[in-house]
Amino acid sequence: SMLESALAAGVSSAGVSVKLLGVVPTPLVSHVTQHTDAVGAVMISASHNPYDDNGIKVFNEFGEKTDAETEQKIENVIDGLEEVVLASPDKIGVIKADSEDVDLYIQHLIEEVPLDLTGYKVVLDCANGAAVSTAQRIFEQTGCELIVLHNQPDGYNINTNCGSTHPEDLVKHVLEYQADFGFAFDGDA
């Protein structure tokens, strides 16, 4: 949340409004960028690594990873080699939370990949990461009996002995609950 706040403040100080999506999967950020009037997006993610390896992924207006030239310009600003032009006080961007785009993305996935898992028992390991905002909600729509693990992110426990980098806990729970199958996500889902 500290990194999110700092990035949002920096972007808004340059005159750009910011939508905060919260803890969400990286593909959601790309999808929202493609299907809104966004001029770009930033994803804070440790991906499959521990929290202290958090980094940023920058997307262009098409929801694609930015090119090397744009990344270099951003790095130059961070390194103090280029100056940021700040907006005048009456042009500072607005920062607001946005859950509507998260809901639209979930609905998009449900429509694109309709699943009927009625009668199945499924275990999800959300890796205490981005899958917590979407995976459970999506699988609840499939009719399955659902067991969800590692869905309490605190900013520090992402990928810690869980998720796709540590599938042994998922395997243990699939066997213990006699589930039909399980899914393990990495930190950015």
Side-chain angles (χ1 to χ4, degrees):
S1 61
M2 180 191 68
L3 294 174
E4 177 187 60
S5 296
L7 280 167
V11 170
S12 68
S13 72
V16 179
S17 290
V18 177
K19 284 199 239 183
L20 303 176
L21 297 173
V23 178
V24 297
T26 300
L28 184 149
V29 176
S30 176
H31 181 83
V32 169
T33 307
Q34 290 173 27
H35 293 92
T36 65
D37 60 354
V39 296
V42 177
M43 176 73 182
I44 303 165
S45 172
S47 187
H48 58 279
N49 300 305
Y51 78 91
D52 50 352
D53 286 338
N54 267 324
I56 60 172
K57 296 177 184 180
V58 181
F59 298 90
N60 64 22
E61 69 273 19
F62 305 111
E64 302 164 340
K65 187 176 182 225
T66 57
D67 57 67
E69 182 181 334
T70 302
E71 283 186 3
Q72 187 59 57
K73 286 180 183 180
I74 293 168
E75 287 181 28
N76 288 346
V77 168
I78 292 169
D79 292 338
L81 301 174
E82 287 188 35
E83 207 171 308
V84 175
V85 178
L86 300 178
S88 62
D90 62 326
K91 301 288 185 193
I92 291 174
V94 174
I95 301 171
K96 66 178 185 170
D98 175 24
S99 62
E100 184 178 316
D101 282 322
V102 176
D103 295 339
L104 290 173
Y105 178 74
I106 289 170
Q107 190 58 42
H108 164 73
L109 289 181
I110 290 169
E111 290 170 5
E112 289 294 313
V113 186
L115 291 175
D116 181 1
L117 298 176
T118 303
Y120 288 98
K121 189 182 293 187
V122 179
V123 180
L124 297 182
D125 181 341
C126 294
N128 290 315
V132 301
S133 64
T134 55
Q136 182 171 348
R137 290 176 58 192
I138 291 168
F139 275 85
E140 285 172 344
Q141 302 290 317
T142 68
C144 69
E145 181 182 340
L146 191 60
I147 297 108
V148 183
L149 309 172
H150 307 293
N151 62 339
Q152 300 294 318
D154 63 11
Y156 301 100
N157 62 354
I158 187 170
N159 299 312
T160 303
N161 299 317
C162 60
S164 62
T165 57
H166 298 280
E168 54 277 358
D169 194 52
L170 174 66
V171 170
K172 180 182 97 172
H173 283 87
V174 167
L175 294 172
E176 178 183 324
Y177 288 106
Q178 297 180 343
D180 295 292
F181 46 89
F183 293 95
F185 294 90
D186 72 351
D188 65 353

